Amino acid sequence: MSRPEAPLTAGERAALRTFRRAALTSRGYRAHLERLGVDHRAVTRLSQVPYTDKQSVFGDHIDFWLDGGRVSDAAELLTSSGASGLFSVGVTSRSERRAQERTFDLVLRSLGGGEETTTLVINCLPMGISIPTRLATVANPSVHLEMAVETLVRAGSSFDRVVIAAEPVFLKELAERALRERGPGFAENVVACFVGGEWVSESWRRYVSELFGFTDDPSSRVGVMVSMGAAEVGLHVLHETPAQRAARRVLDSPMARRSLFGRDPGYSPTLLAWDPNRFFVEERAHDDGTSSLVLTALTRRLLPLVRYDLDDEAQIITAATLNAELGRQGSALRLDRPVVALWGRRGAAVTGDGWSLRPELVKEGLFSTAAHAGALTGRFRIAASGNRPVLHVQLREHVRPGPGIEAALRHMVTMAAGAPADIVVHEYREYPYHEAGDFQHKPAYVDRRPA
């Protein structure tokens, strides 16, 4: 006797409404369903709806996929970095733009911003990414390093608070440059830095927090927080709360990871929240035992995204499961919502005979020693040569490596990969994998060419 199906959850009902609307208004999505032999009229459960991804959506002309089919209805177009080999495009309607403004204003209010106080947002995000807000003055130096430093040190003191948005490699260089040129007082008015674009290690966060003078003591300075998005999905899709940041630190040990996740890859995932009124979030299981993050946008969008696979390795963990582990670790901290545990890009590893090395492990190791962190840009490349892992690193401009850096990095990579490793330290302008001074493009951390 077959078991009756579980009733639809509120989130699944909302996602099914998005599916049905997209099937009616998007020619591209309807054609995608037809190619897969799916009759949208017969679908009753979300599990019957096929996944979409960059290839299926952006392999077609963008107009073909839009609700109404007119890209001229957009208020803004945002292209991706193209790091995956396929450019994607975020198509923002005017109503979505207003919704983004409300989202960012809520973030600023949580930091003390409002109509009766002054806030400067320094937007150092690349690719023309904008931050709409009615509660702050926005400076847009993008990835022009000198302009960003000048804006921070010259204009920052005129405001009650400063908020910085940047990608990790740029934020590190910004803080190091400002500290060297202006001294430790450069960040007095900076209350928060939001970083995204890639997985962030706790060792990096500790190092950069020290540069800005952020501490764990209760204050109006929130410190370094993670905010993740994608061009096609939007900004600030997944975001870290202070409680989640604290929980990640408590759970940052092999014993806690094995207890909570059933495995220990050698590093801890970022714990992130989402707005259930904006997105329905799922895990997609893969044959290799990993799972990836899948989003369905619940609000009406010009570019409808239904069960869209971001190809980020992730798990959804309930608050009860997290809280039980926090208790086992002796912490009184408790979370009141489920989290996305984000491990990084799925499949982002270089492998050899008997060894494997992920970029997240290298990131954690690069910044674990402050002297090494200060000497390196944070860009690196993992490769294989003669069945040995090889790590290429880039020195900061005008910086000479310390006497023990190669030996320390070799030991770190050997332990992380489980095989003897080679290290190549490159001068800033001789690093062959990234043009010097280019903060527009994300670093490519993995070289999968055959040895």
Side-chain angles (χ1 to χ4, degrees):
M1 186 174 180
S2 62
R3 184 178 299 176
E5 286 189 300
L8 291 173
T9 65
E12 187 179 0
R13 284 196 297 270
L16 282 170
R17 286 194 294 270
T18 293
F19 161 73
R20 294 182 181 114
R21 183 171 63 237
L24 293 174
T25 62
S26 167
R27 291 178 297 151
Y29 187 59
R30 202 158 49 247
H32 173 68
L33 296 176
E34 290 170 358
R35 284 193 294 268
L36 297 174
V38 176
D39 182 354
H40 67 90
R41 295 165 297 186
V43 169
T44 59
R45 299 300 300 239
L46 196 61
S47 59
Q48 299 169 304
V49 176
Y51 297 105
T52 54
D53 55 23
K54 270 192 177 183
Q55 189 60 52
S56 59
V57 176
F58 297 100
D60 288 325
H61 195 283
I62 188 62
D63 278 21
F64 191 49
W65 275 78
L66 296 185
D67 183 336
R70 297 197 314 172
V71 73
S72 57
D73 289 336
E76 183 179 45
L77 299 177
L78 177 63
T79 59
S80 70
S81 66
S84 67
L86 180 66
F87 281 95
S88 58
V89 182
V91 186
T92 304
S93 69
R94 286 160 180 80
S95 62
E96 289 176 287
R97 178 82 173 177
R98 290 190 291 272
Q100 288 179 354
E101 184 180 85
R102 290 192 294 272
T103 297
F104 285 119
D105 282 350
L106 284 172
V107 172
L108 293 179
R109 288 190 189 281
S110 72
L111 299 173
E115 292 82 359
E116 305 303 321
T117 185
T118 60
T119 303
L120 173 65
V121 174
I122 304 179
N123 176 15
C124 300
L125 297 171
M127 301 176 296
I129 298 171
S130 61
I131 298 180
T133 174
R134 298 179 64 184
L135 296 181
T137 300
V138 181
N140 292 295
S142 188
V143 289
H144 193 302
L145 186 59
E146 291 78 9
M147 288 174 57
V149 171
E150 286 299 305
T151 301
L152 173 59
V153 299
R154 286 179 180 268
S157 60
S158 299
F159 292 81
D160 296 325
R161 70 192 55 78
V162 176
V163 177
I164 302 173
E167 292 188 344
V169 173
F170 185 89
L171 184 67
K172 174 182 180 291
E173 187 65 32
L174 168 64
E176 288 167 334
R177 177 79 64 92
L179 180 63
R180 184 177 69 249
E181 294 180 358
R182 305 298 172 129
F186 82 92
E188 288 178 348
N189 282 12
V190 179
V191 298
C193 298
F194 289 92
V195 294
E198 59 181 271
W199 182 87
V200 174
S201 71
E202 280 303 304
S203 62
W204 176 90
R205 188 184 342 230
R206 285 192 298 270
Y207 173 74
V208 173
S209 294
E210 289 174 2
L211 297 176
F212 279 97
F214 296 137
T215 69
D216 291 332
D217 297 331
S219 75
S220 59
R221 304 182 78 203
V222 174
V224 177
M225 305 293 290
V226 177
S227 172
M228 300 295 288
E232 63 272 35
V233 181
L235 297 178
H236 208 57
V237 173
L238 301 174
H239 58 277
E240 190 178 50
T241 67
Q244 289 166 343
R245 180 179 61 184
R248 187 191 191 195
R249 291 174 181 168
V250 172
L251 301 171
D252 191 22
S253 71
M255 182 177 66
R257 289 190 291 263
R258 282 192 292 268
S259 177
L260 182 57
F261 302 109
R263 62 190 179 110
D264 175 30
Y267 68 98
S268 293
T270 311
L271 306 181
L272 301 165
W274 71 93
D275 183 349
N277 294 314
R278 292 178 62 203
F279 298 103
F280 183 70
V281 178
E282 302 175 81
E283 286 181 39
R284 178 183 182 180
H286 295 272
D287 293 339
D288 61 1
T290 63
S291 56
S292 56
L293 183 64
V294 172
L295 299 177
T296 298
L298 302 181
T299 56
R300 184 159 188 170
R301 307 181 76 238
L302 269 178
L303 179 60
L305 293 175
V306 182
R307 303 197 90 191
Y308 187 77
D309 190 341
L310 289 171
D311 204 31
D312 288 313
E313 186 177 341
Q315 295 167 257
I316 300 170
I317 311 295
T318 66
T321 299
L322 272 166
N323 290 337
E325 186 57 40
L326 288 168
R328 281 192 290 271
Q329 298 303 319
S331 172
L333 178 67
R334 295 294 181 268
L335 303 183
D336 60 0
R337 66 180 82 179
V339 304
V340 168
L342 187 70
W343 296 95
R345 298 298 288 176
R346 193 175 76 87
V350 174
T351 59
D353 185 11
W355 63 269
S356 178
L357 183 60
R358 285 189 63 105
E360 291 79 14
L361 281 170
V362 175
K363 289 181 184 182
E364 194 68 63
L366 280 184
F367 299 102
S368 59
T369 302
H372 299 163
L376 301 171
T377 64
R379 298 189 187 98
F380 61 86
R381 180 70 69 96
I382 305 169
S385 178
N387 197 40
R388 290 169 69 96
V390 180
L391 177 66
H392 298 262
V393 296
Q394 182 189 35
L395 290 171
R396 292 181 59 224
E397 193 168 17
H398 308 308
V399 170
R400 302 299 302 169
I405 191 169
E406 283 195 39
L409 292 177
R410 185 178 299 109
H411 176 73
M412 180 267 290
V413 176
T414 296
M415 295 301 292
D422 294 325
I423 304 298
V424 184
V425 179
H426 298 273
E427 298 285 343
Y428 181 71
R429 297 195 177 276
E430 295 176 1
Y431 185 69
Y433 304 108
H434 201 105
E435 185 177 348
D438 173 21
F439 293 98
Q440 187 69 37
H441 296 92
K442 289 184 174 69
Y445 295 114
V446 172
D447 188 345
R448 292 194 178 88
R449 292 175 297 181

